Amino acid sequence: MQALWKVLLVAPLLLLPFPTVASPARDDQPSTRPSNGHACVGCVVVVSVIEQLAQVHNSTVRASMERLCSYLPEKLFLKSTCYSVVRVFGPDIIKLLSADMNADVVCHTLQFCQQDPGQAFCHLYPLPKETWKSTLEKARQIVKKSPTLKYSRSGSDICSLPFLAKICEKIKSTLKNSVPFRDVDSDKYSVSPTLRGYHWRGRDCNDSNKMAYPGRRPDNWDVHQDSNCNGIWGVDPKDGIPYEKKFCEGSEPRGIILLGDSAGAHFHIPPEWITASQMSLKSFIDLPSALTDELNWPQLSGATGFLNSTSGLKENSIYLHLRNRNRCNHRDYQNLAKNGASSQNLERIIESLSRNPRSDHPAIVIYAMIGNDVCNGKIDPVPKMTTPEQFYSKVMETLKYLNSHLPNGSHVILYGLPDGTFLWDHLHNRYHPLGQLNEDVTYERFYTFLGCLQVSSCHGWMSSNKTLRALTSERAEQLSNILKKIAISKKFTNLDLLYVDFDLQAVMKKWQKRGGQPWQLIEPVDGFHPNEVALLLMADGLWDKMQLQWPQVLGKENPFNPQIEQVFGDQGGH
Ligand SMILES: *[C@@H]1O[C@H](CO)[C@@H](O)[C@H](O)[C@H]1NC(C)=O
Ligand SMILES: *[C@@H]1O[C@H](CO)[C@@H](O)[C@H](O)[C@H]1NC(C)=O
Ligand SMILES: *[C@@H]1O[C@H](CO)[C@@H](O)[C@H](O)[C@H]1NC(C)=O
Ligand SMILES: *[C@@H]1O[C@H](CO)[C@@H](O)[C@H](O)[C@H]1NC(C)=O
Ligand SMILES: *[C@@H]1O[C@H](CO)[C@@H](O)[C@H](O)[C@H]1NC(C)=O
């Protein structure tokens, strides 16, 4: 779950320098990956899109590249970078594609892809009819004297390319203020959406006052200002009683906090970004904001989403359910999920938790490390998986930290790991978005390509090797069982523990009952993450379970909700 997002950052951006700016929490040692698989995938995706745009519009390769650049927004220098890249690599790409070479050949010829000694030859498309060697030889003759080879060969650090250095500098300085997790001591709440702003945690309602933030107990019943940002403040002129006291006292307000990975943050790459037949000026509108959210869409996630679903589902996130139950909870959400997060690397992430055990309301914390403990991109992923001993010890550390940083009366819900054999079973013989136009790239091919380059999000499950898939599920189950045991046997002073399965089968059954297909629950571009529908159905399942079995976690339904709405409308929005 850690690597693919990096790859796809590179791809739609035509090899922009983001990977170096926003590296995941756990990174692979550069020395263990001889050549740069991310650059290879990025190149193959971009060249495929160029080729397919030409096919769809019956245009020249040159026109197709210009078309692609014209679709990109100006923001974050996306358009200008695109034109720079076309200026440098365009002539070679035109020559090669015009000679009927495919994206694999183009990218190997330009040396974005390299076959390391003793390693397999990695390709996305079926091999050419002639032998691979002679095709590549022919291609090399075509660009023999090309001056650009020295650029692509430079490998991982795209910013070292002279023609991109300036743009890189500009982007880096733009993103400098974006420190994905702000300092512990500094104000963690923000008035802007991205860069870990209010897409991630409740919007700051008073930027000049550090003591005003979502989730705190109100200061003097918020007579003069909205100290907890829930949109309820002031005094009822009819009787002189502060509204916060009248509507919220004794209502047991609480917030929702997610400790998660890319699935919890809702990692999502819209298929329009790589599907030539659907691409238009509108396709990339969200690209800049998605990039500054690390390609995540927490505002639409199952745990903390606050926008209406884009898929038309009526289900609510856990946060919206909590808010509907008690309007005093308005804006009290924190999504601390991060791409690549696992039980083993949570220390830094958890430091960005904002909850004062003395002055804030209790919280419901969802712990959902659902993949990275068993998922990695190694050829043999098993040795790198988290062992049960390592897992137990880190989970206990996390819980101790939470116990000392959460107000008494908080709840922690531990999610188990899913059985990822779902992915192969429901996707392997379907076409990937890149393969739909010519019916040539199935997910099996896509998975094999990523696995070969060792950049797979989860080689253990995204593999044609049935034994390996079963082994991965077995480890996932072992780790889930540890969480289950901890939930039953461990006691903490300020929080209680609950365990739930990450039950993809249950979500699938729910979806099928509505006439849906299992494959429609997975992100089409990465072929790995649960998509918005899956996340919302999962959240809904959790909500139902809590209502039935653990109502104490949710608190009471606030009888004043209609009055709050009447007086404060949408409470300042989100
Ligand atoms: C594609 O373009 C070529 C050259 O402009 C033209 O000869 C051909 O008829 C076009 N094909 C289609 C299907 O439009
Ligand atoms: C923001 O906080 C400052 C400092 O406490 C206060 O003076 C001001 O009235 C607050 N603004 C609003 C809109 O509540
Ligand atoms: C979400 O949908 C509801 C009902 O369909 C609508 O009333 C509300 O305004 C929508 N909210 C947003 C933020 O679009
Ligand atoms: C925490 O709250 C529980 C009730 O929810 C109470 O029984 C317990 O004494 C409290 N602990 C502390 C340390 O205040
Ligand atoms: C499949 O995976 C298992 C477990 O990692 C491994 O022992 C075996 O060699 C693999 N089989 C093939 C054909 O690669």
Side-chain angles (χ1 to χ4, degrees):
M1 214 172 288
Q2 45 187 335
L4 189 70
W5 70 279
K6 256 173 139 183
V7 170
L8 291 151
L9 261 182
V10 185
L13 278 179
L14 299 146
L15 319 165
L16 262 190
F18 280 92
T20 51
V21 179
S23 54
R26 179 172 66 179
D27 219 336
D28 290 293
Q29 301 299 316
S31 58
T32 62
R33 188 178 296 148
S35 64
N36 187 353
H38 294 118
C40 178
V41 181
C43 176
V44 170
V45 171
V46 173
V47 173
S48 299
V49 168
I50 292 170
E51 195 182 4
Q52 293 183 15
L53 273 174
Q55 188 185 342
V56 167
H57 298 278
N58 191 24
S59 71
T60 63
V61 174
R62 170 176 301 282
S64 157
M65 289 193 284
E66 301 210 326
R67 182 187 293 274
L68 180 59
C69 290
S70 76
Y71 289 161
L72 291 175
E74 306 273 359
K75 258 197 194 155
L76 289 177
F77 316 99
L78 292 171
K79 202 192 281 276
S80 51
T81 304
C82 184
Y83 284 117
S84 298
V85 171
V86 165
R87 248 194 316 280
V88 175
F89 295 107
D92 289 343
I93 294 176
I94 290 170
K95 274 186 234 155
L96 291 167
L97 288 181
S98 307
D100 257 353
M101 306 292 174
N102 72 13
D104 289 317
V105 180
V106 172
C107 293
H108 276 271
T109 309
L110 297 181
Q111 300 184 10
F112 283 104
C113 301
Q114 274 161 3
Q115 183 176 10
D116 294 315
Q119 296 290 313
F121 165 72
C122 306
H123 58 100
L124 180 62
Y125 294 92
L127 284 176
K129 280 189 214 76
E130 302 167 63
T131 68
W132 166 251
K133 252 187 148 166
S134 71
T135 308
L136 197 57
E137 202 40 57
K138 218 187 280 172
R140 284 192 178 129
Q141 287 302 318
I142 295 175
V143 295
K144 202 162 91 192
K145 294 209 187 80
S146 169
T148 60
L149 285 182
K150 65 176 184 290
Y151 293 153
S152 39
R153 217 178 282 145
S154 68
S156 60
D157 188 8
I158 302 290
C159 290
S160 66
L161 308 186
F163 68 99
L164 279 181
K166 238 192 192 140
I167 289 172
C168 278
E169 273 320 302
K170 282 192 210 162
I171 292 176
K172 276 183 182 163
S173 71
T174 307
L175 290 186
K176 235 197 196 112
N177 306 325
S178 81
V179 190
F181 290 96
R182 289 153 209 264
D183 276 351
V184 183
D185 296 329
S186 76
D187 193 0
K188 295 191 172 104
Y189 297 89
S190 165
V191 292
S192 51
T194 62
L195 302 172
R196 295 275 162 179
Y198 67 75
H199 281 168
W200 300 83
R201 50 180 127 204
R203 187 152 58 86
D204 197 348
C205 54
N206 189 341
D207 218 14
S208 63
N209 182 356
K210 277 194 182 177
M211 295 313 294
Y213 56 86
R216 65 163 288 170
R217 283 195 243 116
D219 173 31
N220 189 23
W221 292 115
D222 285 2
V223 167
H224 299 295
Q225 57 166 312
D226 187 11
S227 68
N228 56 15
C229 298
N230 67 2
I232 302 169
W233 65 288
V235 173
D236 188 342
K238 286 198 230 95
D239 50 21
I241 301 176
Y243 284 116
E244 179 87 31
K245 185 173 167 63
K246 189 181 246 184
F247 294 152
C248 299
E249 185 175 29
S251 76
E252 301 178 351
R254 61 201 63 205
I256 175 89
I257 298 172
L258 174 72
L259 293 175
D261 48 31
S262 49
H266 186 18
F267 184 92
H268 165 65
I269 296 176
E272 311 82 271
W273 291 0
I274 65 162
T275 312
S277 60
Q278 297 171 14
M279 217 175 263
S280 71
L281 265 176
K282 278 189 283 182
S283 301
F284 295 99
I285 288 175
D286 291 329
L287 179 58
S289 89
L291 285 172
T292 42
D293 276 337
E294 303 146 50
L295 287 181
N296 296 306
W297 309 63
Q299 67 276 29
L300 293 163
S301 66
T304 66
F306 57 86
L307 296 180
N308 284 341
S309 154
T310 59
S311 50
L313 247 62
K314 293 276 175 282
E315 273 71 10
N316 279 326
S317 69
I318 300 291
Y319 162 69
L320 282 179
H321 271 300
L322 271 177
R323 176 184 182 273
N324 291 344
R325 192 173 179 89
N326 180 1
R327 292 289 204 127
C328 300
N329 295 331
H330 180 67
R331 287 207 193 123
D332 194 359
Y333 58 91
Q334 299 181 44
N335 189 317
L336 309 183
K338 188 148 171 61
N339 299 334
S342 74
S343 69
Q344 303 299 295
N345 61 26
L346 206 52
E347 289 108 329
R348 285 216 26 234
I349 297 170
I350 208 170
E351 277 174 18
S352 73
L353 175 93
S354 161
R355 212 71 178 176
N356 185 321
R358 285 163 300 281
S359 56
D360 297 350
H361 290 303
I364 303 170
V365 176
I366 296 180
Y367 176 96
M369 300 296 150
I370 65 159
N372 294 315
D373 284 289
V374 297
C375 287
N376 64 72
K378 296 280 169 261
I379 298 276
D380 181 4
V382 181
K384 239 195 136 196
M385 293 179 185
T386 306
T387 65
E389 295 74 27
Q390 290 165 336
F391 190 71
Y392 174 83
S393 126
K394 285 289 183 181
V395 171
M396 287 306 291
E397 259 176 52
T398 300
L399 292 174
K400 281 174 197 154
Y401 184 96
L402 289 174
N403 190 49
S404 61
H405 287 78
L406 292 175
N408 188 23
S410 292
H411 306 270
V412 175
I413 295 168
L414 301 169
Y415 254 113
L417 285 75
D419 178 0
T421 52
F422 186 95
L423 300 173
W424 176 268
D425 292 348
H426 295 290
L427 289 182
H428 77 277
N429 56 8
R430 298 191 56 82
Y431 291 116
H432 185 269
L434 285 177
Q436 282 162 10
L437 186 63
N438 299 312
E439 306 197 333
D440 48 5
V441 179
T442 57
Y443 281 96
E444 174 167 9
R445 266 187 193 290
F446 177 68
Y447 289 167
T448 304
F449 179 54
L450 298 182
C452 176
L453 290 168
Q454 302 193 47
V455 297
S456 177
S457 304
C458 194
H459 187 51
W461 276 323
M462 295 153 80
S463 158
S464 57
N465 182 336
K466 194 171 179 185
T467 317
L468 179 57
R469 297 199 304 270
L471 264 176
T472 308
S473 293
E474 191 185 312
R475 179 65 62 86
E477 197 182 340
Q478 283 173 349
L479 302 185
S480 297
N481 284 335
I482 290 175
L483 291 177
K484 219 179 279 183
K485 233 188 202 152
I486 290 176
I488 295 170
S489 61
K490 299 293 171 188
K491 296 279 173 266
F492 293 89
T493 50
N494 287 339
L495 47 91
D496 62 18
L497 293 175
L498 300 160
Y499 172 86
V500 283
D501 284 319
F502 195 96
D503 193 349
L504 277 175
Q505 293 298 324
V507 168
M508 183 178 84
K509 286 204 186 100
K510 231 191 245 182
W511 184 235
Q512 282 175 319
K513 257 194 202 146
R514 302 181 188 193
Q517 299 289 326
W519 58 267
Q520 293 167 323
L521 298 167
I522 303 298
E523 282 289 323
V525 173
D526 60 52
F528 178 59
H529 291 96
N531 67 8
E532 194 187 300
V533 171
L535 293 175
L536 281 178
L537 292 179
M538 185 76 72
D540 214 56
L542 175 60
W543 183 262
D544 288 346
K545 193 177 171 80
M546 290 195 289
Q547 272 192 312
L548 274 170
Q549 299 178 16
W550 310 317
Q552 77 279 9
V553 177
L554 306 177
K556 297 181 269 196
E557 176 122 22
N558 189 339
F560 294 104
N561 285 336
Q563 279 103 311
I564 296 173
E565 193 170 351
Q566 204 177 11
V567 179
F568 295 102
D570 74 353
Q571 296 171 262
H574 283 96

